[in-house]
Amino acid sequence: MSQEPVVSLRQVTKRVGRHTIIDNLTFDVPQGEIFGFLGPNGAGKTTTIRMMVGLMSITNGEILIKGKNIKSQFEQAIRHVGAIVENPEMYKFLSGYHNLVHYARMIPGIPKERIREVVELVKLEDRIHDKVKKYSLGMRQRLGVAQALLHRPSVLILDEPTNGLDPAGIRELRDYLHYLTREEGITVIVSSHLLSEMELMCDRVAILQKGRLVDVKRIQEFMNTDDKAQTFLIEALPVEQALAIVREVEGVSGVKPVSEGIELIADRAVIPEVVSRLIEANIAIYEVRSVRQSLEDRFLQITGGEKIG
Amino acid sequence: MVSLILNENMKLYRRIRTWVMVVLMIGAVLLGSFMEWHYDDKSMQGDGWRTEIADEQRQMQQGLSSPDMGDDTKRYYQDQILINDYRLEHDIRPTSGTMWDGINGSAELIVLITLFTVIIAGDSLAGEFATGTIKLLLIRPASRFKIWLAKYLSLILFSLMLLCILFVVSVLFNGLLYGFGWMNLPLLEVNGSGQVAEYNMVANLWKTYLLNGVSTIIFVSMAFMISSAFRSSTMAIGISIAALFAGAILMELLQAYDWSRYLLFANIDLSQHLSGRPYQEGMTLSFSIIVLAIHFAVFNLVSWLVFTRRDVAA
C-alpha cells in the first residue's frame, strides 16, 4: 500500500539500568494490515507494545502514530490508538456499560449512540448491564475489544489477545480482526506466542529475539522460502521395502522413516517417478502429501531453536 | 477535566465500600450524640442553668483563692468567671443542655472522615495498579497529570461530602434529642483584650471543621503519595493510619526536644493556636502553616512526579 505508515518505529531503544531490553528497533506498519509480533518470552514484545501506547518511556528513538510522536504529542497520538494490554482488566464492580461510559468520557466527542454500536458489534447487548465480575473470560475479552473500538481508532494494539481464550473465543477474535481490517481499514498490531494462531491471523510478522528485530516478512514469504526442495511424506506398506525403493530414485535426498511413514526431500517434479516406482514394486500407497513448513518450524529455524512460549 | 472527575466519582460511589463508610459515619454521629445526651446532666436543660452557673461561680472563686494553683488553670478560671458573669447579666445560656452541646461534640468525629478518606486515597492509585485497570486508564488522550489531579480532587470532594453529612446529621439528630431551641445562641469567648465577646455558633463550628480538615488533607496527601510511590494500598493505608493515631503519642515523647517543633505532627492540629496553648512556647500560627504547607507541597510533588514518570510494567 502506498499510504504513509500508520505506526512507525525509528531506532527505538529501551534500557533499564545497564540492561538493554529493546535494541534499535526500526520498522513500519502499513495501513489495513494485521501485523504480528513474534518472539520467545522475554524477547521484548510486551515492552515494545507498552512503549507504543505510552505506558513505558522510550530511552532512545521515537515512535510515531499517524505522524504524531507518542512521547511529545501523547494526547494527539494516543487518540488514534485502541488497545488491550495483556488481559482486558476492567472495573469489576461496575457494569460493562459503565465501564464503557468511563472510557468514553475520557475522549471528547463520543456520543451515547456509539457505545450502543460497539456493544452490538461485540454482541454483548444482553449482558451489558451486568457487573463485569459476573462475566466469563470470553465476555471480558469482548468488552475489551469494545472499549478499544469506542473512539474509532486507526490502530488496534492487542498484547497477547488470545491468552486464556478457548478455541471458539480465539476463532471469534480472529474473525473480528479480519472484519475490522477488511471492512473498516483498521490496522491491527498483535503479539502472541501462539505461532499457529499468528499464522492464521497475520498478514505480516516481525520476529523479535533478545530485543532485536530478526526479520519482518509477509506470512507467505515465511512459508515458502525454499520452493525447490520440499519435504514430502509417503505413507506406504511395507515400510522397509518402500524405503529401499525410494532411496534409489534420482533427485531424492534425506529419506528417513517417521511415525506416519517415510519422509523425503525432493523436487516436486520427481514425485510422480517415486510413486510409479513404488506401484511397480507392488507397494501399497495410502497417502502422499507435501509437508508444508509451519511458521513454528521457520521460527525455530530463524531463532536458532530457542524454546518458545 | 470535569469528565475525569465524574469518572472518579463513578468509580467511588458505585462501590459498596463507599456506602458502608457513609453508613458508618452516620451511625457514629447517631451513637455518639445519643450517648452524650443520655449521660448528660439533665439539670442544665431548660432554665436550670442559672442555678448551675451560680454554683460554678462560687466554686471557682473559692478555687482561685487557694495558693497552690498553676498559672494555666488560674487563667482558665478567671476567663470562665468573666464569661459566666456575662451570661447571667445578658441572659445567654451555656451550650450545655442545648443541641449545640451535641453538635459541637460530634465535630470530634472528623477523625473518622480522615480515616475513611485515607483508606480510599491509599487504594485510589495502588488499587488500579493491583487490578491492572491502570493500563486501560492511561492509554487515553488524558495526560497522567490530569488523571492524578482528578483522583486527588475526587478525594477532597468525598471528604467534603462526609463533612456535610456530619453537619446535617448532627444538627438534625441533636435537634431531635434536645429540641430545636436556642438556634441563635452565641458562643462566648474572652478575646485578646480581656473582654467577653459574642461569636456566631455555626461559623465557629465550621471553623473547627475546616481547621480539622487541614489535617485530613495532609493525611490524604500522605496516603496518596505512598499509594503512588509504592503502588501498594496496604502500605499506603497502613502507614497513614499509623501516623494518624501514633503521631500525637510520638509528639508527647518528643516535646522536650526543641527540634521537634519542625515535625509535621507538632503542627497538624491548628486549633492549638486558637486556644493559645501551642505545642511548644513560641510557635505561631504562621509557623505551623508554613510547616504544613511544606509537607503538603512535598507529598504532592513526590506523588505527582512518581506517577507521571514511572513505567507501568506490572
Side-chain angles (χ1 to χ4, degrees):
Chain A
M1 272 173 229
S2 57
Q3 281 140 313
E4 71 165 58
V6 179
V7 176
S8 62
L9 280 77
R10 297 271 161 271
Q11 279 113 44
V12 171
T13 300
K14 171 79 181 172
R15 271 190 291 273
V16 174
R18 280 176 301 134
H19 297 278
T20 303
I21 297 175
I22 297 293
D23 194 3
N24 220 357
L25 278 192
T26 299
F27 62 85
D28 289 336
V29 182
Q31 206 219 320
E33 270 197 4
I34 303 186
F35 188 93
F37 267 140
L38 216 51
N41 282 349
K45 297 175 303 229
T46 298
T47 306
T48 309
I49 281 185
R50 285 183 186 225
M51 287 195 289
M52 281 182 187
V53 296
L55 286 177
M56 281 186 161
S57 62
I58 303 162
T59 313
N60 269 321
E62 56 180 19
I63 295 177
L64 302 177
I65 292 165
K66 292 206 111 188
K68 305 282 188 210
N69 192 313
I70 193 74
K71 205 169 177 177
S72 56
Q73 299 163 289
F74 176 74
E75 294 185 33
Q76 288 113 296
I78 204 76
R79 199 174 288 263
H80 302 294
V81 178
I84 304 177
V85 184
E86 284 169 325
N87 307 314
E89 281 130 344
M90 314 294 255
Y91 300 100
K92 291 199 174 76
F93 51 89
L94 295 180
S95 66
Y97 183 77
H98 279 118
N99 267 287
L100 293 180
V101 167
H102 176 266
Y103 295 118
R105 277 199 193 125
M106 297 186 79
I107 303 154
I110 296 182
K112 283 248 150 54
E113 182 62 15
R114 177 63 185 163
I115 297 182
R116 210 179 52 81
E117 237 171 77
V118 290
V119 169
E120 252 168 50
L121 180 71
V122 299
K123 303 189 184 73
L124 269 178
E125 302 99 314
D126 296 340
R127 301 288 306 275
I128 196 66
H129 291 290
D130 287 1
K131 291 237 160 56
V132 171
K133 68 177 127 199
K134 292 184 189 150
Y135 283 15
S136 67
L137 191 61
M139 290 167 70
R140 282 179 205 183
Q141 195 81 24
R142 281 192 268 168
L143 188 61
V145 173
Q147 65 77 29
L149 292 176
L150 258 183
H151 51 296
R152 302 181 192 279
S154 312
V155 199
L156 190 60
I157 299 179
L158 308 171
D159 188 10
E160 305 276 358
T162 52
N163 252 4
L165 284 187
D166 57 14
I170 292 178
R171 202 203 154 94
E172 194 177 21
L173 181 74
R174 189 166 69 223
D175 291 344
Y176 273 144
L177 297 185
H178 282 298
Y179 166 80
L180 291 170
T181 49
R182 306 291 177 259
E183 305 297 319
E184 313 224 342
I186 290 181
T187 306
V188 179
I189 298 177
V190 286
S191 82
S192 179
H193 60 271
L194 287 176
L195 296 166
S196 50
E197 258 319 303
M198 295 290 263
E199 202 174 329
L200 290 170
M201 210 183 268
C202 302
D203 299 311
R204 197 188 291 259
V205 177
I207 293 188
L208 287 180
Q209 193 186 18
K210 290 178 184 153
R212 290 207 185 85
L213 188 65
V214 180
D215 211 348
V216 185
K217 272 205 179 118
R218 300 197 70 81
I219 277 282
Q220 292 92 321
E221 293 174 57
F222 267 117
M223 299 309 160
N224 319 316
T225 35
D226 270 333
D227 253 306
K228 285 193 183 132
Q230 275 180 282
T231 307
F232 291 88
L233 187 99
I234 298 176
E235 198 186 330
L237 282 176
V239 178
E240 287 306 317
Q241 227 175 314
L243 267 175
I245 293 164
V246 174
R247 281 207 180 94
E248 295 298 307
V249 183
E250 209 174 319
V252 171
S253 62
V255 182
K256 59 180 181 201
V258 290
S259 57
E260 304 109 294
I262 302 163
E263 202 181 89
L264 59 127
I265 298 169
D267 223 50
R268 205 176 158 75
V270 184
I271 296 303
E273 173 71 14
V274 176
V275 174
S276 64
R277 293 269 193 97
L278 287 172
I279 290 169
E280 274 168 33
N282 260 341
I283 302 234
I285 302 172
Y286 297 94
E287 190 181 5
V288 179
R289 63 182 157 100
S290 77
V291 181
R292 203 180 56 135
Q293 233 183 348
S294 70
L295 186 58
E296 186 155 341
D297 298 326
R298 285 294 299 155
F299 179 82
L300 287 171
Q301 210 172 317
I302 290 168
T303 59
E306 200 170 324
K307 220 173 133 25
I308 313 147
Chain B
M1 196 63 220
V2 175
S3 56
L4 291 182
I5 296 176
L6 285 178
N7 271 348
E8 293 307 323
N9 282 345
M10 179 169 75
K11 286 185 267 183
L12 195 54
Y13 299 112
R14 286 189 180 273
R15 285 189 92 156
I16 296 167
R17 179 180 78 179
T18 311
W19 294 103
V20 170
M21 287 179 181
V22 170
V23 168
L24 282 177
M25 186 79 221
I26 295 172
V29 177
L30 296 184
L31 187 70
S33 302
F34 180 78
M35 295 300 265
E36 196 166 329
W37 174 79
H38 187 71
Y39 292 108
D40 199 23
D41 181 6
K42 300 289 188 294
S43 62
M44 288 298 267
Q45 287 183 13
D47 281 335
W49 66 274
R50 284 196 192 81
T51 43
E52 290 284 320
I53 292 271
D55 275 356
E56 205 178 300
Q57 289 292 71
R58 266 193 300 283
Q59 278 168 17
M60 283 196 287
Q61 298 283 12
Q62 266 171 12
L64 272 180
S65 54
S66 81
D68 54 336
M69 178 178 270
D71 281 350
D72 277 353
T73 328
K74 203 166 181 176
R75 208 178 63 196
Y76 174 75
Y77 271 36
Q78 283 165 344
D79 286 356
Q80 281 307 307
I81 288 169
L82 274 179
I83 291 174
N84 284 343
D85 280 345
Y86 191 93
R87 287 195 190 290
L88 292 169
E89 198 177 317
H90 292 86
D91 195 29
I92 299 170
R93 60 164 303 132
T95 55
S96 305
T98 72
M99 66 179 203
W100 292 111
D101 203 24
I103 294 168
N104 289 338
S106 301
E108 298 285 320
L109 291 173
I110 287 186
V111 71
L112 270 186
I113 297 182
T114 311
L115 184 69
F116 291 155
T117 317
V118 157
I119 290 174
I120 294 195
D123 191 48
S124 174
L125 278 169
E128 299 242 16
F129 278 98
T131 56
T133 49
I134 192 78
K135 290 178 289 188
L136 289 184
L137 185 67
L138 293 184
I139 55 166
R140 313 282 148 179
S143 67
R144 291 196 192 184
F145 170 69
K146 281 188 193 156
I147 289 172
W148 176 84
L149 190 63
K151 281 194 175 292
Y152 194 82
L153 291 177
S154 76
L155 293 171
I156 304 293
L157 288 175
F158 176 68
S159 63
L160 280 177
M161 182 197 71
L162 287 182
L163 196 59
C164 290
I165 289 178
L166 171 65
F167 176 70
V168 171
V169 173
S170 73
V171 166
L172 289 180
F173 189 61
N174 283 297
L176 286 175
L177 287 176
Y178 296 91
F180 290 93
W182 297 284
M183 278 289 193
N184 295 315
L185 191 69
L187 177 81
L188 300 185
E189 260 173 29
V190 177
N191 62 19
S193 52
Q195 308 235 264
V196 176
E198 294 186 14
Y199 297 95
N200 183 300
M201 193 68 82
V202 180
N204 179 69
L205 183 64
W206 277 92
K207 200 163 80 184
T208 315
Y209 282 173
L210 293 182
L211 283 178
N212 284 305
V214 169
S215 79
T216 306
I217 288 181
I218 297 284
F219 279 113
V220 166
S221 302
M222 181 195 272
F224 202 49
M225 174 187 73
I226 303 172
S227 181
S228 150
F230 296 101
R231 298 177 180 182
S232 151
S233 18
T234 327
M235 207 161 162
I237 297 170
I239 292 178
S240 310
I241 290 181
L244 179 62
F245 290 113
I249 303 165
L250 183 72
M251 292 328 288
E252 231 156 87
L253 296 175
L254 295 176
Q255 195 162 22
Y257 302 99
D258 207 33
W259 49 262
S260 64
R261 66 170 62 186
Y262 296 101
L263 295 178
L264 173 66
F265 303 114
N267 297 285
I268 204 146
D269 176 19
L270 285 179
S271 61
Q272 60 180 316
H273 300 291
L274 294 186
S275 61
R277 277 180 286 275
Y279 174 68
Q280 279 179 0
E281 273 309 301
M283 279 167 64
T284 61
L285 180 63
S286 38
F287 173 84
S288 287
I289 289 176
I290 290 170
V291 171
L292 290 182
I294 291 172
H295 278 92
F296 176 78
V298 168
F299 287 161
N300 286 317
L301 200 67
V302 169
S303 103
W304 167 64
L305 281 178
V306 173
F307 180 61
T308 49
R309 300 291 157 91
R310 247 170 71 176
D311 285 349
V312 179

